[in-house]
Amino acid sequence: MRKVERKRLGDLLYETGMITKDQLEWGINEQHRTNKKLGEILVDQGIITDKDILGALEFQLGIPQMDLEKYTIDYNIASKVPESIARRYTVIAVGIDGNKLKVAMKDPLDMFALDDLKLSTKMDIIPLLALDRDIEKLLDQAYTSTKTKNIVFEVEKQIQEEAQKQILEEVDENAENAPMIQLVNNILQRAILKGASDVHVEPFEHYVRVRYRVDGQLHEMTRVKKETLNAITTRIKILSGLDIAERRLPQDGRMSKHVNGQQVDLRVSILPTIYGEKTVIRFIYRTGNNLELQDLGFHPEDFNKVTNLLKNPHGIILVTGPTGSGKSTTLAAVLKVLNQENVNIITVEDPVENMIEGINQVAVNSKIGLTFANCLRSILRQDPDIIMVGEMRDSETSSIAIRAAITGHLVLSTLHTNDAASSIARLVDMGAESFMVGAAVKGVISQRLVRKICPDCKTKHIVTATEETLCKIKQGTEVYKPRGCSVCNHTGYKGRIAVHEVLVLDNFLQETIAGSKLTGEEIKEEAVNRGMRTLWDNAAYNVIKGNTSIEEMLRIAYEQ
């Protein structure tokens, strides 16, 4: 390592031409005012990138930098450093050179870290510069994956040594150190850390596959031997309060977990298949339900339409889309806007996913006869101003909701339909009179979720003639396409954004619907002529803004 005279980061950035003198002076003033690091201030303002800082430090310190985005973890190498030390100093082992261990570090000058690494690994350390956010992402991947493999090995070893009956007897609440309990806990924890929406435990003839769904896509987590299935399922049943002796019928249960300071509610569904019981666990993140209406990705025109719809004192506002399209999140954001001291809001949901202070929320329980329809009848005797019905599932519920809207209540609800206009036809199919639908419904918000392109690795792309034909975005337009890096688990996408279609029923549309003069397609055509932006229009808008890709836009088209 060559010795270089240490300079302040700001001076180094200025001397290398990365920032101007004015930007340096401004950054120093902000540093004094906020007590933040200069580099953090400059990155937040978009003046430089964190990789610019890494390059400057490499030049100053003479320590090579490593781009972890392109690095594929070698679990055998990563495990050379104990997890406690790796997380304490934000380091990860990335290579071996003889008796020397190459370690990516956020601070390669930390002598305490270097000493601890040398003592724990009994190897000489070659430090490398890396971004702390890249290291932290790899740490979760490296140690949770390694831990899962170790636990799976212990479980399979135990099954070989003991009879299956003994394994099942061990799976109880007090055996916290049992390998099977560690395996189930590790699967759930890993999925939550990755922000998964679901975990699937799937039995096949010779093995059990565990997959998790992130950003709408399933990824394999691990595979275990078929002999472990009954023990895994039994442990999940115990946690969610289900009957461990029942293996012939489907079961549904619930449980909660705390991971990294956040509470996560889990909904468990168990389904008998020809190879054993399949389990699906859905995660409901309470800390993720704080989105405001303006954070949901509405086009500015559609946002204004929605805010105007919410000013209606009565009527029905519907949110539609397939399962998992974010309808509940949108309704929660709408309720926050409407939640004022002078109004009485009551919801009936199955289950209650978003708990909002100041709103009376009722959970459906069909086992004891507490259905949507029964709840609605009771709610109407509670002097409500606004009613939210989690879903209109049957003609009885829709009929009561429509009558409530006509008699002076604002009703919010959801439907499973492909677009906004077809929601009108769906209500009529459920038995509602068309004149009642025309009088009650004020507007419909239809939505889909598309994956967001990872901001760390997205690359520019020029729309081709073929793509113009497919997506109607003009040839030559500059958009972005996914590439893949360690930040997005090499998928090219990170997170999701909603794409909306907002149908406002003005007097003309209400009157024509009431007279049964328009079909669903005709309603849509007329609404477009009157200024409605379709799902397709808003998907193209997000492609041009760089939020999503042409491939995701085309996927939306096939879902309609």
Side-chain angles (χ1 to χ4, degrees):
M1 188 190 309
R2 64 185 176 89
K3 185 168 179 142
V4 179
E5 182 183 352
R6 295 294 302 272
K7 295 182 180 180
R8 293 184 303 179
L9 178 63
D11 294 333
L12 189 62
L13 292 172
Y14 171 63
E15 289 176 8
T16 54
M18 293 184 185
I19 61 174
T20 65
K21 187 175 182 180
D22 289 341
Q23 289 170 334
L24 174 59
E25 291 176 354
W26 175 85
I28 291 172
N29 290 333
E30 282 294 294
Q31 187 179 19
H32 292 153
R33 185 178 68 84
T34 62
N35 289 324
K36 290 184 178 180
K37 293 180 179 179
L38 177 63
E40 181 183 350
I41 293 169
L42 296 175
V43 170
D44 288 343
Q45 291 298 312
I47 296 172
I48 59 172
T49 66
D50 45 14
K51 291 184 178 180
D52 291 332
I53 295 177
L54 210 62
L57 291 174
E58 179 182 26
F59 175 79
Q60 182 187 32
L61 303 175
I63 298 176
Q65 64 168 302
M66 182 172 186
D67 185 359
L68 294 180
E69 288 185 358
K70 302 172 183 176
Y71 175 72
T72 301
I73 289 179
D74 185 322
Y75 297 104
N76 292 327
I77 294 175
S79 62
K80 296 288 183 185
V81 177
E83 182 178 1
S84 58
I85 291 178
R87 293 192 182 276
R88 184 189 312 160
Y89 297 114
T90 314
V91 302
I92 187 165
V94 294
I96 296 177
D97 184 3
N99 192 41
K100 296 179 180 179
L101 185 65
K102 296 179 179 179
V103 181
M105 310 176 66
K106 75 170 184 178
D107 184 2
L109 297 181
D110 186 339
M111 298 309 297
F112 293 106
L114 293 171
D115 288 343
D116 277 356
L117 286 168
K118 187 172 183 178
L119 285 171
S120 63
T121 62
K122 296 180 174 56
M123 300 176 74
D124 292 330
I125 304 301
I126 301 175
L128 301 171
L129 273 165
L131 295 173
D132 54 353
R133 62 175 171 81
D134 288 346
I135 297 173
E136 287 169 357
K137 286 183 174 67
L138 288 182
L139 288 178
D140 286 336
Q141 184 179 344
Y143 290 103
T144 54
S145 295
T146 302
K147 188 181 294 183
T148 300
K149 290 178 181 178
N150 291 338
I151 294 171
V152 168
F153 174 77
E154 290 297 325
V155 169
E156 292 175 349
K157 178 181 177 183
Q158 186 173 355
I159 285 179
Q160 291 174 356
E161 294 174 351
E162 301 182 29
Q164 180 70 13
K165 182 178 178 180
Q166 292 173 311
I167 294 287
L168 295 179
E169 289 174 350
E170 185 189 43
V171 181
D172 58 41
E173 286 292 337
N174 299 319
E176 289 302 326
N177 292 321
M180 185 55 62
I181 292 176
Q182 291 182 40
L183 176 60
V184 172
N185 288 344
N186 186 265
I187 288 171
L188 297 178
Q189 183 177 21
R190 247 183 101 185
I192 292 170
L193 287 172
K194 288 182 175 293
S197 60
D198 305 84
V199 161
H200 295 237
V201 181
E202 305 166 302
F204 296 98
E205 185 175 4
H206 301 297
Y207 64 91
V208 177
R209 179 176 65 182
V210 180
R211 295 191 292 174
Y212 57 86
R213 188 183 297 276
V214 176
D215 296 336
Q217 303 296 309
L218 283 167
H219 307 271
E220 186 168 314
M221 179 189 294
T222 189
R223 292 189 182 191
V224 296
K225 290 184 178 179
K226 181 66 179 295
E227 290 79 10
T228 65
L229 175 64
N230 288 339
I232 291 174
T233 307
T234 299
R235 176 59 182 166
I236 293 172
K237 286 180 178 179
I238 289 172
L239 289 173
S240 50
L242 299 179
D243 184 357
I244 63 173
E246 179 57 73
R247 298 182 186 176
R248 300 166 301 169
L249 297 173
Q251 295 191 67
D252 296 310
R254 300 179 186 179
M255 57 174 150
S256 294
K257 283 190 75 68
H258 280 84
V259 177
N260 286 356
Q262 68 169 327
Q263 182 172 345
V264 183
D265 294 330
L266 292 79
R267 287 158 52 185
V268 178
S269 173
I270 295 179
L271 179 72
T273 72
I274 59 173
Y275 292 120
E277 292 177 293
K278 176 188 175 181
T279 301
V280 175
I281 304 173
R282 169 155 289 188
F283 300 98
I284 301 170
Y285 300 88
R286 294 188 182 181
T287 55
N289 299 323
N290 297 320
L291 290 175
E292 304 294 334
L293 193 62
Q294 60 268 24
D295 300 327
L296 298 183
F298 283 101
H299 185 279
E301 292 178 14
D302 291 334
F303 181 78
N304 290 333
K305 289 179 182 178
V306 173
T307 52
N308 288 330
L309 274 176
L310 299 184
K311 294 176 183 177
N312 282 293
H314 56 79
I316 292 179
I317 300 173
L318 295 171
V319 181
T320 73
T323 301
S325 60
K327 298 186 297 295
S328 297
T329 300
T330 298
L331 278 178
V334 167
L335 286 173
K336 288 178 186 177
V337 174
L338 298 172
N339 188 15
Q340 305 294 327
E341 187 178 351
N342 62 340
V343 294
N344 177 21
I345 303 177
I346 305 179
T347 75
V348 50
E349 306 168 63
D350 182 26
V352 176
E353 294 185 5
N354 306 292
M355 285 168 278
I356 305 172
E357 186 175 353
I359 292 179
N360 306 284
Q361 296 174 272
V362 181
V364 166
N365 188 343
S366 56
K367 292 180 180 178
I368 61 172
L370 191 62
T371 63
F372 277 111
N374 290 339
C375 281
L376 264 178
R377 291 191 185 92
S378 297
I379 286 171
L380 289 172
R381 295 192 287 270
Q382 290 279 316
D383 186 33
D385 298 295
I386 300 170
I387 302 169
M388 194 275 273
V389 184
E391 182 184 346
M392 289 193 187
R393 295 181 177 175
D394 51 57
S395 58
E396 187 179 13
T397 303
S398 62
S399 177
I400 298 171
I402 289 171
R403 285 182 170 80
I406 292 175
T407 54
H409 302 88
L410 182 61
V411 180
L412 310 172
S413 190
T414 69
L415 275 177
H416 289 104
T417 57
N418 288 330
D419 58 15
S422 59
S423 301
I424 307 301
R426 174 72 177 134
L427 287 175
V428 174
D429 289 343
M430 291 171 69
E433 297 289 346
S434 57
F435 70 90
M436 296 279 281
V437 175
V441 179
K442 301 297 182 183
V444 184
I445 304 167
S446 181
Q447 66 182 59
R448 297 288 191 281
L449 291 179
V450 294
R451 290 183 293 170
K452 294 173 65 177
I453 297 179
C454 175
D456 291 273
C457 65
K458 65 181 182 181
T459 58
K460 290 182 179 180
H461 173 69
I462 304 300
V463 176
T464 65
T466 302
E467 289 170 335
E468 179 181 2
T469 303
L470 288 171
C471 64
K472 310 305 180 187
I473 297 177
K474 188 176 180 181
Q475 181 182 356
T477 302
E478 185 178 274
V479 296
Y480 287 89
K481 66 177 182 179
R483 179 166 60 89
C485 64
S486 63
V487 174
C488 59
N489 201 24
H490 302 284
T491 63
Y493 297 95
K494 186 71 174 175
R496 290 189 288 179
I497 189 172
V499 174
H500 303 90
E501 178 178 276
V502 181
L503 169 63
V504 178
L505 297 180
D506 56 19
N507 290 335
F508 171 77
L509 286 174
Q510 286 185 312
E511 289 172 4
T512 51
I513 290 168
S516 300
K517 295 178 182 177
L518 295 179
T519 65
E521 284 299 317
E522 289 170 336
I523 292 172
K524 182 172 184 177
E525 183 179 350
E526 184 61 38
V528 170
N529 292 336
R530 302 170 83 82
M532 184 183 79
R533 295 179 57 86
T534 65
L535 285 166
W536 185 264
D537 294 331
N538 286 326
Y541 168 75
N542 278 285
V543 169
I544 293 170
K545 281 191 68 178
N547 292 331
T548 192
S549 65
I550 290 175
E551 290 77 12
E552 284 292 287
M553 178 184 176
L554 294 175
R555 183 175 61 81
I556 290 294
Y558 287 116
E559 284 186 357
Q560 294 191 70

